[in-house]
C-alpha cells in the first residue's frame, strides 16, 4: 500500500511576498467587477514589477460592471512589451474555453512560471482553467486576493430575514440560475445507473442548489457549509444555513439522506480531506457529482480532488447575474506555489492507484 497524507502533499497558503514571484512569469487573470480582481496587478504596478506576458480573461455575456479598461491599464503597465492578450470565457458554455487553453499552452511552452490570479475568476472558470493546464511542466503560482468586505452585510441580512415569509426566502449576491453546465473533461460516464451522491456548497442564493436538485435527484446529498476565516464574518455560516433550510424541507421527501459538513472557506487542503472522506464511504455504491459552488479556495480543492478521482463528475449552476453589492476592497493577498505542476498533478493519481490496489487485495483475499 502507498501511505499518503493529503496534508503533506499540498503546499500551504502564505501571505504574498512579491519578491518571491519570478520576474519572467506569465500572468493570467480575469477582468471582473470586484476591487480584488485588480489588487495583484495594482501591487505589481506600484512596485514596478513586470511580467513576460499577461493574459486577460473577458467574461461573456458582457456585464458593464466588469472593469475591463482598468484591468487593461494595469496589465499593460505590468508587461515588458506593453501588450495584453485578451481571451474570452463564455459562462453558459465553458466547453468553448478549451480552445483558449490550447492558445495559452502554446504561448507558455518555454516559460518556467505562470501566475494564475483566481481573485476575479468565477468558480467554474478556476476548475476549467487549472484542469486544462494540468500538463504544464513549470511552476504554478496561485494568487488569491481576500476581500475587505463581503456582502451581504449582517444588518441587511437580518432585515431581510425579519420580513421573510415561507414563500419569499431571500437570496443574495446572485440572481436566478440560467443553466447547469459542465465540460467533456469534467464529466464522467463512470457508475452509470448507480444511485447518485451529490456534494454541494450552499451559498447566499439558495436557488443555485435548488436548480441542481431539480435537475438531478440524488439518493444522498452532502451539504458542505463554509465558515469564513475572520471572526467578524463568522455569522455568515448560520445565515447560509438559514437561507438553505428551505432545501431540506422541500427535498427531504425525495432524498434518502441529507448530510452536513462544516468547512473553512479559506482551507483548500481540508476541502480535499473532507471530500476524500465522504467519497471513500460511497465510491463503490454511488455515482458522485460535485457542484463547486463554494469559495474560490474551496473550488481549488475541488479541482485537485477531480484530478485524484477522474471518475467523479462536476456540474455547475450558472447564475443569470451578480448583484451590485458583492465584495468591496482588498484585505490581504495570498500565494500558493506548486512546483513542477504536471508532475504534481500526475502524482495525485497515486491516491486512486492506492485504492485500486486495496480493492484488488480485498477481492483476492
Amino acid at each position: 500500500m502507498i501511505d499518503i497524507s493529503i496534508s503533506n502533499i499540498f503546499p500551504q497558503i502564505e501571505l504574498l511576498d512579491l519578491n518571491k514571484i519570478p520576474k519572467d512569469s506569465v500572468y493570467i487573470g480575469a477582468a471582473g467587477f470586484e476591487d480584488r480582481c485588480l489588487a495583484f496587478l495594482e501591487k505589481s504596478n506600484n512596485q514596478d514589477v513586470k511580467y513576460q506576458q499577461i493574459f486577460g480573461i473577458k467574461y461573456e455575456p458582457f456585464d458593464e460592471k466588469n472593469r475591463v479598461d482598468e484591468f487593461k491599464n494595469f496589465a499593460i503597465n505590468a508587461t515588458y512589451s506593453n501588450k495584453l492578450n485578451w481571451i474570452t470565457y463564455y459562462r453558459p458554455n465553458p466547453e468553448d474555453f478549451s480552445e483558449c487553453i490550447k492558445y495559452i499552452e502554446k504561448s507558455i511552452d518555454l516559460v518556467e512560471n505562470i501566475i494564475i490570479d483566481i481573485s476575479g475568476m468565477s468558480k467554474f472558470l478556476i476548475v476549467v482553467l487549472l484542469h486544462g493546464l494540468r500538463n504544464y511542466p513549470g511552476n504554478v503560482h496561485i494568487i488569491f486576493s481576500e476581500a475587505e468586505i463581503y456582502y451581504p452585510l449582517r444588518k441587511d441580512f437580518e432585515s431581510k430575514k425579519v420580513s421573510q415569509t415561507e414563500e419569499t426566502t431571500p437570496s443574495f449576491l446572485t440572481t436566478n440560475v440560467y443553466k447547469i453546465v459542465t465540460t467533456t473533461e469534467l464529466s464522467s460516464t463512470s457508475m452509470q445507473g448507480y444511485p447518485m451522491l451529490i456534494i454541494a456548497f450552499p451559498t447566499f442564493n439558495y436557488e443555485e442548489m435548488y436548480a441542481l436538485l431539480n435537475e438531478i435527484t440524488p439518493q444522498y446529498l452532502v451539504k458542505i457549509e463554509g465558515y469564513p476565516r475572520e471572526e467578524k464574518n463568522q455569522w455568515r455560516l448560520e445565515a447560509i444555513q438559514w437561507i438553505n433550510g428551505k432545501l431540506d424541507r422541500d427535498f427531504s421527501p425525495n432524498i434518502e439522506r441529507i448530510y452536513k459538513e462544516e468547512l473553512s472557506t479559506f482551507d483548500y487542503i481540508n476541502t480535499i480531506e473532507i471530500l476524500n472522506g465522504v467519497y471513500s464511504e460511497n465510491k463503490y455504491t454511488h455515482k458522485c457529482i460535485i457542484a463547486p459552488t463554494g469559495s474560490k479556495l474551496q473550488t481549488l480543492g475541488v479541482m485537485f480532488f477531480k484530478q485524484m478521482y477522474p471518475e467523479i463528475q462536476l456540474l455547475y449552476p450558472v447564475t443569470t447575474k451578480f448583484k451590485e453589492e458583492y465584495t468591496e476592497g482588498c484585505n490581504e493577498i495570498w500565494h500558493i506555489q506548486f512546483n513542477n505542476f504536471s508532475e504534481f498533478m500526475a502524482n495525485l493519481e497515486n491516491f486512486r492507484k492506492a485504492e485500486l490496489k486495496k480493492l484488488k487485495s480485498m477481492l483476492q483475499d
Side-chain angles (χ1 to χ4, degrees):
M1 286 295 296
I2 303 174
D3 184 18
I4 304 172
S5 171
I6 291 177
S7 60
N8 292 334
I9 286 180
F10 292 90
Q12 297 294 321
I13 188 168
E14 299 177 344
L15 282 171
L16 174 68
D17 178 354
L18 204 54
N19 294 319
K20 293 183 179 179
I21 302 294
K23 302 304 184 289
D24 62 345
S25 303
V26 168
Y27 172 89
I28 305 172
F33 59 88
E34 300 174 83
D35 295 333
R36 59 177 172 165
C37 77
L38 304 172
F40 179 84
L41 284 178
E42 184 176 13
K43 187 178 183 70
S44 297
N45 279 195
N46 291 340
Q47 297 188 25
D48 197 29
V49 175
K50 296 186 182 295
Y51 304 102
Q52 189 177 123
Q53 285 190 81
I54 289 184
F55 291 90
I57 300 174
K58 288 183 181 179
Y59 289 110
E60 292 290 346
F62 177 73
D63 189 328
E64 61 183 14
K65 296 196 304 292
N66 288 346
R67 299 159 73 170
V68 175
D69 290 339
E70 290 177 78
F71 185 96
K72 178 182 177 181
N73 291 336
F74 281 128
I76 287 176
N77 288 333
T79 57
Y80 294 110
S81 62
N82 293 325
K83 292 182 180 179
L84 169 62
N85 305 296
W86 281 117
I87 51 181
T88 300
Y89 179 74
Y90 184 59
R91 293 175 63 244
N93 187 13
E95 187 80 48
D96 294 345
F97 193 66
S98 59
E99 291 302 315
C100 294
I101 294 177
K102 292 177 183 177
Y103 168 58
I104 293 172
E105 286 180 315
K106 290 180 181 178
S107 301
I108 63 175
D109 187 39
L110 300 177
V111 177
E112 294 184 3
N113 293 274
I114 58 174
I115 304 163
I116 300 181
D117 188 346
I118 65 174
S119 309
M121 294 186 184
S122 71
K123 284 39 171 308
F124 208 60
L125 170 56
I126 294 171
V127 177
V128 172
L129 177 61
L130 281 167
H131 192 264
L133 293 175
R134 64 191 180 278
N135 293 320
Y136 170 67
N139 307 318
V140 170
H141 302 260
I142 300 295
I143 299 298
F144 170 67
S145 298
E146 188 179 19
E148 175 67 27
I149 299 173
Y150 289 89
Y151 287 93
L153 301 178
R154 188 168 191 170
K155 62 182 179 63
D156 296 330
F157 168 74
E158 295 293 347
S159 175
K160 287 281 186 72
K161 183 178 179 181
V162 169
S163 61
Q164 176 263 349
T165 67
E166 188 172 344
E167 290 75 28
T168 60
T169 299
S171 64
F172 302 86
L173 304 183
T174 57
T175 60
N176 303 324
V177 174
Y178 175 70
K179 65 187 294 190
I180 307 295
V181 301
T182 189
T183 67
T184 302
E185 288 192 331
L186 299 177
S187 188
S188 172
T189 58
S190 177
M191 304 292 282
Q192 294 283 13
Y194 279 74
M196 281 182 285
L197 160 70
I198 290 182
I199 305 173
F201 300 74
T203 70
F204 273 93
N205 182 3
Y206 72 92
E207 294 176 1
E208 293 180 7
M209 281 191 63
Y210 224 86
L212 183 67
L213 296 176
N214 274 326
E215 184 90 6
I216 303 168
T217 302
Q219 183 186 36
Y220 295 160
L221 169 65
V222 177
K223 299 196 302 183
I224 300 181
E225 300 166 333
Y227 56 86
R229 181 180 73 89
E230 294 192 299
E231 186 175 347
K232 67 179 182 180
N233 292 322
Q234 293 291 310
W235 66 271
R236 298 173 71 86
L237 172 59
E238 290 187 10
I240 285 178
Q241 291 171 335
W242 181 84
I243 288 172
N244 289 274
K246 180 178 172 64
L247 289 165
D248 292 357
R249 297 191 297 271
D250 289 355
F251 288 99
S252 287
N254 300 318
I255 299 176
E256 183 175 320
R257 199 170 292 176
I258 299 177
Y259 300 92
K260 298 178 183 178
E261 294 275 359
E262 293 183 5
L263 168 68
S264 169
T265 58
F266 197 75
D267 196 334
Y268 88 99
I269 299 176
N270 194 219
T271 301
I272 300 167
E273 292 173 325
I274 286 180
L275 291 174
N276 195 54
V278 172
Y279 186 56
S280 295
E281 294 180 4
N282 297 280
K283 61 185 172 183
Y284 300 128
T285 56
H286 289 74
K287 178 177 178 62
C288 180
I289 297 171
I290 302 178
T293 50
S295 70
K296 296 179 191 296
L297 290 175
Q298 288 172 339
T299 300
L300 185 65
V302 172
M303 189 283 302
F304 286 122
F305 191 71
K306 169 66 175 175
Q307 177 68 15
M308 290 161 58
Y309 296 106
E311 67 272 17
I312 66 170
Q313 180 166 338
L314 302 188
L315 294 178
Y316 189 75
V318 176
T319 53
T320 304
K321 64 183 296 185
F322 295 87
K323 298 284 184 70
E324 290 294 328
E325 294 181 326
Y326 199 81
T327 68
E328 187 176 330
C330 177
N331 184 19
E332 300 281 6
I333 304 178
W334 300 86
H335 173 214
I336 314 171
Q337 181 171 336
F338 296 88
N339 295 324
N340 304 315
F341 194 62
S342 59
E343 181 180 340
F344 178 82
M345 294 292 273
N347 286 338
L348 291 183
E349 295 180 7
N350 286 336
F351 272 88
R352 189 164 181 266
K353 292 175 182 177
E355 291 298 325
L356 290 174
K357 287 183 179 181
K358 181 178 179 181
L359 177 61
K360 181 179 179 181
S361 177
M362 289 169 60
L363 292 174
Q364 289 175 340
D365 291 345

